Amino acid sequence: MAYTDWDGPKYHRQNRLYYKLATIRGERNILESDDKLGLEPDNPGIMHDHFYTKNGQWYVQTKIENKHIF
């Protein structure tokens, strides 16, 4: 995915996770990590989940060490 204007990061104190939001090509994207640095592109070793919509359907990718796990 190309870099884009992500907002955040925002901390959600109830679940202790960090989030960033963006709209890319008209579709919603959410990054989620338990470490604030996990949301930054230059910290590939920290796991994060990427939730995104494509044609109205939600998907998720988990990434660690620059590899998508699923």
Side-chain angles (χ1 to χ4, degrees), residues 1-8 20-31 39-41 50:
M1 174 185 355
Y3 293 106
T4 189
D5 291 329
W6 290 88
D7 75 346
K20 279 188 172 184
L21 306 172
T23 300
I24 302 170
R25 293 182 293 280
E27 303 279 3
R28 296 297 297 158
N29 285 258
I30 302 169
L31 294 181
L39 302 177
E40 301 302 324
H50 179 190

Side-chain angles (χ1 to χ4, degrees), residues 27 53-57 59:
E27 303 279 3
T53 56
K54 188 170 187 175
N55 297 321
Q57 178 70 43
Y59 296 90

Side-chain angles (χ1 to χ4, degrees), residues 2-54:
Y3 293 106
T4 189
D5 291 329
W6 290 88
D7 75 346
K10 292 180 175 56
Y11 181 69
H12 190 279
R13 62 187 169 120
Q14 285 86 356
N15 64 12
R16 300 181 184 152
L17 296 173
Y18 291 89
Y19 295 91
K20 279 188 172 184
L21 306 172
T23 300
I24 302 170
R25 293 182 293 280
E27 303 279 3
R28 296 297 297 158
N29 285 258
I30 302 169
L31 294 181
E32 172 191 83
S33 180
D34 62 355
D35 188 315
K36 186 176 176 180
L37 294 176
L39 302 177
E40 301 302 324
D42 57 346
N43 287 295
I46 302 172
M47 189 174 88
H48 75 261
D49 293 320
H50 179 190
F51 299 90
Y52 61 97
T53 56
K54 188 170 187 175

Side-chain angles (χ1 to χ4, degrees), residues 56-67:
Q57 178 70 43
W58 279 98
Y59 296 90
V60 64
Q61 292 177 331
T62 297
K63 189 173 184 180
I64 189 168
E65 296 179 4
N66 269 342
K67 296 178 185 170

